[in-house]
Amino acid sequence: MILPNITFMVAFAAVGTLGAMPGTVSSRAKFSPNTGHNPSKSILGNTNAHPTPFVIPSLQEWDGGNGVWVISKVTRIVVDSEYANGIALDFKHSFMANPSNLQEFATSFQSDIKQVTGIEIDVAISNKYLKGDIFMTLGAEIKDPKLNNEGYHLSITQMGVVIQAVTSRGAFWGTRTLLQMLILADKSGFALPQGHTRDYPNYNERKFVQDIARKPIPMSNLKEYAILTSFYKYNTHHLHFNDNAGMRTKGLMPDWTAKYSGFRLKSDNPAFSVYASSDTAYTNQDMRDYQNFIKVRGLDLIPKIDTPAHSLCFTRFHTEWSIQEDTARGDWLDLKNKDVWSFVETLWAEFIGWFDSREISIGADEYDESKGDLARKFVNHCHRYFATRFNRTIRMWGSDVKLPDTVEINKSIHTDHWDFTYSNPVDLVKQGHRVCNLNAPDVYLVPRSHAYSDYFDQQKLYEFWEPWVFDILDRTNTSRNLSPTEPLLTGGGFANWIDFLGELVTRVELYDHVSQAAGVVSEKMWTGSKNTDRMTYDDWAPLAKKLRKSIPGITLTRRPKSKSSFVIIYDFEDGAAEDTSGNGYDGKLSSSARIVGAGEGHGKAAQLSVNSYITTPLESIRYPCMIGMWVKSSGMQPHNAVLLESGDGKLLISNIPAHTVTFEQDSNHYTTQIILPPDTWSHIAFSADKDRTSVFFNMRRRAIVNYFNPRWDQMCNEAIVVTGPISSIGSKSGSSFSGLVNSFFVLSRAINASELAFLAKRYANALP
């Protein structure tokens, strides 16, 4: 029998008490913090004190004990009844527009604990807690007035855990610290070191900006970004709801009206529903659900509808609203037209009620430089409009340098600085503006842009960047960097842009870029240089990676657990889709799928028809990976017959013009030019790393998956990194590949050229 040898394939892969009283304790006997201690010295005077636990962001202060506390089935999360539902303190101290209360945060924490430890614990409301409990309370500012509104005290003793904060959100940050300690603890007992931390952020604004305009992103993915960033104590999501492909001028791109543009808000009002993107747009209820989801993870939302530039989603319907000069960009609204001003007002009036946030962003960047006076007047008009009608403040991207004129931009407008050619943060502060650091290229992710970071240089950020550092190469230059204690510096963050549209990067790949950036930026926004002074990047990075891979509630990593390099092997020799890799990922045949004798030396194989398929327990696998199988087409195939499928994409056999191997990712199609011959055994495999996807036909590489990208500055082929769809062989939607499938395998790494040659020799006698 001539088929891949599975054995060969596997070989190829090869104490003291700190702030708690014994027994039951009234919440009125509040935890009394030691605010003047030396964080490097144990308050117990113990030379064997536990060192500072590793968490991200790192703890500001730590006093170690010498015992441990162990979570158990009798542990409860006890929410102080004095503060469980009454959130007067939250409104008094928090800048959250719609803050959650302690009970809601405790319920979120309860779910996290189960996912990390497997232990189901109860949430109780009481002013007393018992030995072993986790007690959450407020009132920390009474004993420690120097804490800011997100600071907290966390005390771990043999009696249990006490989290006392200024606000409920601060208490939630304490649960993130505890959760990370549990993730890194010995899984046999989940024992945590006794000790006390006094922890607080250096900056009030710790932000993640996501461009959702130029790539459709499902709401489920946005929620996972919330889980990711709140894990690292970010407190703000900034969503960019509208934008379009980069373009220069009408003269250079006369077909600008045909370019892709996105507007992701879908109103029931016909006057505004016309602008909503047909591929993905969110309803009022979608945004309500999203904000309810993120608020119990400590996050505020800043919505942005970008005008007067980046507005092709509006000008394509109203060409009379665009600037008609030959040198103008087609996405520029003409501010000389008063109808444009009225439209922007009614647009926001339609959607602003969807959002809880106290601040909204109007964008106001990259507009016609010859119309600086008009643009500045427009910005000031928006400031007055939102303040008087909606009691909201606005923010904009720093643009004063690129919009030169004499009109002064209102000092109340919060500025997101992003580029020195558009604004100077030092000048902005001198003018009285609050400033947030989103300086490019340091904290700008633009995957596959060739102009900004594809992945961040994490070591550079860890060692040199902080929110006060706007010029990472010239940190001592006071004309380009602010003081760390500048009161008008609100904080910083990072932005993930998709400047050249979503065809170039998959949603799973996008998450990988963001997740690798989130931890290191968080570290410097919360703690600053304090941790880098005590821990080298080489020591920090492996622990950071371990945490990143263990965040509860995240599925977008798409890296299945596996005992070896082989994740799945189905040889069908047992008459079923039993996984012989040792991982137990057995497949399940639909009622119309059958295992048959294949003949021609191929032993047994799965026979599929248009309505039959095999499901696996997995969804997808992200790079690095390799997926391969033998197939024999029955001849006629349905249109775009599905060979592999998941929610992330498909491997198709297109029949236009012939049976061509084609990938679908996020609804985009990428053909390989490989033709599958009918009624003939062929081997198909593809291997993806972080740079490209190689496709092998009969053990020889025949194609690199590409997309022809008509960028605004050049036209070029871009390599696509495919996410391997492995939820099913065939399709559950009635469009399956028709024929035989044999020796299906999934490998958790890409192969190199020498391994490919070795495989080719091994299978040489089975090739056509």
Side-chain angles (χ1 to χ4, degrees):
M1 179 173 65
I2 306 173
L3 52 80
N5 184 291
I6 300 302
T7 302
F8 162 74
M9 293 171 71
V10 173
F12 162 71
V15 147
T17 59
L18 300 174
M21 299 294 291
T24 61
V25 181
S26 168
S27 69
R28 309 248 188 256
K30 296 300 182 190
F31 175 73
S32 180
N34 177 10
T35 60
H37 67 271
N38 180 348
S40 64
K41 181 181 178 182
S42 167
I43 63 174
L44 301 177
N46 195 323
T47 56
N48 296 318
H50 293 296
T52 304
F54 182 90
V55 296
I56 299 176
S58 59
L59 303 175
Q60 295 278 18
E61 301 170 7
W62 168 259
D63 283 325
N66 63 348
V68 297
W69 171 79
V70 180
I71 192 170
S72 70
K73 293 180 180 179
V74 300
T75 297
R76 300 176 302 161
I77 302 173
V78 179
V79 179
D80 191 341
S81 55
E82 182 176 347
Y83 302 112
N85 296 307
I87 53 176
L89 281 178
D90 293 315
F91 280 113
K92 177 181 177 182
H93 294 286
S94 177
F95 51 85
M96 284 191 80
N98 185 18
S100 289
N101 57 47
L102 274 182
Q103 186 174 359
E104 291 170 324
F105 282 129
T107 302
S108 178
F109 184 36
Q110 177 190 36
S111 174
D112 293 332
I113 287 177
K114 181 180 179 181
Q115 292 182 68
V116 169
T117 68
I119 300 173
E120 293 190 41
I121 62 177
D122 293 330
V123 173
I125 309 298
S126 177
N127 65 353
K128 296 181 180 180
Y129 59 97
L130 304 175
K131 183 176 181 179
D133 286 343
I134 300 168
F135 185 62
M136 295 175 65
T137 185
L138 302 182
E141 79 285 353
I142 298 171
K143 294 288 187 180
D144 191 357
K146 293 183 179 180
L147 282 182
N148 62 33
N149 58 27
E150 294 180 87
Y152 65 93
H153 289 273
L154 169 65
S155 178
I156 305 173
T157 76
Q158 67 182 81
M159 296 302 300
V161 177
V162 175
I163 299 172
Q164 184 176 26
V166 178
T167 62
S168 296
R169 174 153 64 176
F172 183 67
W173 299 147
T175 71
R176 301 305 85 189
T177 295
L178 201 61
L179 180 67
Q180 292 189 21
M181 292 172 69
L182 286 169
I183 288 172
L184 295 179
D186 184 348
K187 298 302 182 288
S188 62
F190 295 103
L192 300 187
Q194 292 182 28
H196 161 245
T197 182
R198 176 178 182 263
D199 199 21
Y200 47 88
N202 286 347
Y203 296 94
N204 285 332
E205 185 172 23
R206 303 179 305 282
K207 182 163 69 173
F208 168 60
V209 181
Q210 177 60 54
D211 176 1
I212 60 175
R214 289 174 284 196
K215 181 176 180 65
I217 298 181
M219 183 58 69
S220 59
N221 287 190
L222 290 184
K223 289 180 178 179
E224 291 204 24
Y225 284 127
I227 294 170
L228 167 75
T229 51
S230 71
F231 183 78
Y232 295 119
K233 302 186 176 80
Y234 286 73
N235 61 11
T236 306
H237 272 197
H238 181 140
L239 295 184
H240 182 69
F241 283 110
N242 69 295
D243 213 326
N244 41 266
M247 59 184 67
R248 285 183 173 172
T249 67
K250 289 181 180 178
L252 289 177
M253 297 191 75
D255 61 340
W256 61 268
T257 55
K259 298 299 177 183
Y260 184 90
S261 66
F263 184 68
R264 302 300 179 192
L265 299 175
K266 185 177 182 180
S267 171
D268 292 333
N269 185 339
F272 297 96
S273 61
V274 64
Y275 305 118
S277 300
S278 59
D279 47 10
T280 296
Y282 313 119
T283 65
N284 189 350
Q285 187 59 51
D286 290 333
M287 295 315 302
R288 175 50 45 208
D289 292 344
Y290 171 71
Q291 288 172 99
N292 289 340
F293 182 87
I294 70 171
K295 81 168 189 173
V296 296
R297 287 157 182 85
L299 291 161
D300 261 338
L301 169 64
I302 293 177
K304 179 172 69 170
I305 300 177
D306 208 344
T307 57
H310 302 281
S311 297
L312 182 58
C313 58
F314 308 128
T315 61
R316 71 189 313 154
F317 292 98
H318 305 278
T319 55
E320 73 278 9
W321 289 354
S322 65
I323 298 176
Q324 298 300 312
E325 300 161 12
D326 288 340
T327 57
R329 281 174 30 164
D331 63 341
W332 284 345
L333 288 165
D334 185 3
L335 292 179
K336 292 181 180 179
N337 187 336
K338 290 301 180 182
D339 289 342
V340 167
W341 295 55
S342 298
F343 168 72
V344 173
E345 289 182 358
T346 58
L347 179 71
W348 272 108
E350 177 68 18
F351 292 108
I352 197 167
W354 293 22
F355 305 106
D356 298 329
S357 51
R358 296 175 182 174
E359 279 193 338
I360 59 94
S361 176
I362 62 169
D365 61 320
E366 299 185 292
Y367 189 59
D368 189 343
E369 297 172 26
S370 69
K371 297 176 174 56
D373 191 41
L374 262 178
R376 287 166 173 253
K377 288 180 179 178
F378 173 76
V379 167
N380 286 339
H381 173 80
C382 288
H383 163 71
R384 291 189 299 271
Y385 175 72
F386 283 102
T388 56
R389 181 165 181 185
F390 303 112
N391 193 28
R392 311 283 183 107
T393 57
I394 69 169
R395 60 197 304 151
M396 63 180 288
W397 293 103
S399 301
D400 60 310
V401 172
K402 279 285 188 175
L403 296 174
D405 227 309
T406 58
V407 174
E408 183 178 351
I409 296 174
N410 191 289
K411 292 181 175 61
S412 298
I413 297 173
H414 198 162
T415 303
D416 291 310
H417 168 84
W418 70 284
D419 190 299
F420 275 97
T421 61
Y422 285 83
S423 65
N424 184 309
V426 176
D427 292 340
L428 288 169
V429 164
K430 288 179 180 178
Q431 295 163 19
H433 291 278
R434 291 173 297 145
V435 177
C436 178
N437 185 351
L438 289 163
N439 190 57
D442 302 329
V443 286
Y444 252 41
L445 275 179
V446 191
R448 305 193 179 280
S449 68
H450 310 301
Y452 296 100
S453 298
D454 194 34
Y455 284 91
F456 282 158
D457 182 337
Q458 293 190 58
Q459 183 168 358
K460 182 177 75 171
L461 291 176
Y462 183 81
E463 294 176 349
F464 300 111
W465 183 83
E466 288 187 48
W468 63 269
V469 177
F470 290 81
D471 188 341
I472 202 169
L473 300 178
D474 195 5
R475 287 163 45 103
T476 61
N477 187 338
T478 56
S479 68
R480 293 171 69 84
N481 300 289
L482 296 174
S483 164
T485 58
E486 169 57 55
L488 291 178
L489 175 60
T490 59
F494 76 102
N496 185 41
W497 298 106
I498 313 172
D499 282 11
F500 303 108
L501 306 184
E503 294 94 332
L504 306 182
V505 58
T506 69
R507 293 183 293 106
V508 173
E509 185 184 5
L510 202 64
Y511 174 82
D512 188 51
H513 288 247
V514 171
S515 65
Q516 292 197 39
V520 69
V521 176
S522 163
E523 179 67 51
K524 304 310 289 290
M525 291 188 297
W526 183 279
T527 313
S529 61
K530 183 177 290 186
N531 192 45
T532 57
D533 290 341
R534 65 192 181 200
M535 190 175 200
T536 67
Y537 176 78
D538 288 341
D539 291 331
W540 182 88
L543 291 171
K545 184 177 181 180
K546 185 175 181 179
L547 270 182
R548 186 178 76 245
K549 290 184 173 181
S550 306
I551 302 174
I554 296 294
T555 67
L556 281 169
T557 53
R558 300 295 199 262
R559 294 298 293 173
K561 293 181 180 179
S562 184
K563 296 178 180 179
S564 69
S565 294
F566 277 96
V567 179
I568 291 178
I569 300 173
Y570 297 157
D571 61 15
F572 305 114
E573 290 303 301
D574 58 354
E578 180 182 344
D579 177 21
T580 59
S581 72
N583 291 316
Y585 295 134
D586 294 342
K588 183 177 181 180
L589 278 68
S590 68
S591 58
S592 54
R594 296 187 299 149
I595 305 299
V596 299
E600 302 177 70
H602 278 269
K604 293 181 179 179
Q607 185 177 61
L608 303 180
S609 58
V610 65
N611 291 309
S612 60
Y613 52 87
I614 303 169
T615 58
T616 82
L618 304 176
E619 177 69 13
S620 301
I621 183 168
R622 177 184 58 79
Y623 60 90
C625 67
M626 182 181 183
I627 300 174
M629 73 200 84
W630 287 91
V631 297
K632 184 178 181 182
S633 167
S634 63
M636 291 299 296
Q637 299 290 334
H639 177 61
N640 285 337
V642 177
L643 193 52
L644 297 175
E645 183 177 60
S646 79
D648 298 315
K650 300 173 184 177
L651 177 61
L652 305 170
I653 306 300
S654 171
N655 55 8
I656 299 176
H659 291 171
T660 307
V661 177
T662 302
F663 288 92
E664 178 185 303
Q665 297 277 280
D666 301 343
S667 300
N668 302 307
H669 287 78
Y670 312 94
T671 184
T672 66
Q673 309 301 321
I674 295 173
I675 307 299
L676 182 68
D679 302 315
T680 304
W681 279 108
S682 303
H683 194 271
I684 297 175
F686 63 94
S687 177
D689 57 27
K690 71 180 183 65
D691 298 314
R692 64 185 61 83
T693 306
S694 301
V695 185
F696 307 105
F697 187 69
N698 288 334
M699 300 299 163
R700 299 178 180 88
R701 189 167 79 175
R702 296 290 179 86
I704 300 293
V705 182
N706 285 322
Y707 167 70
F708 186 73
N709 179 23
R711 291 166 45 146
W712 59 265
D713 58 346
Q714 61 182 306
M715 292 187 178
C716 58
N717 275 324
E718 300 276 4
I720 303 301
V721 179
V722 167
T723 301
I726 54 174
S727 177
S728 65
I729 305 172
S731 173
K732 290 179 269 188
S733 61
S735 55
S736 290
F737 163 86
S738 181
L740 299 176
V741 176
N742 191 17
S743 300
F744 171 78
F745 71 92
V746 178
L747 191 65
S748 64
R749 63 180 179 88
I751 68 166
N752 57 43
S754 61
E755 290 170 328
L756 173 61
F758 185 54
L759 282 172
K761 290 179 181 178
R762 178 75 183 186
Y763 295 127
N765 58 349
L767 300 181

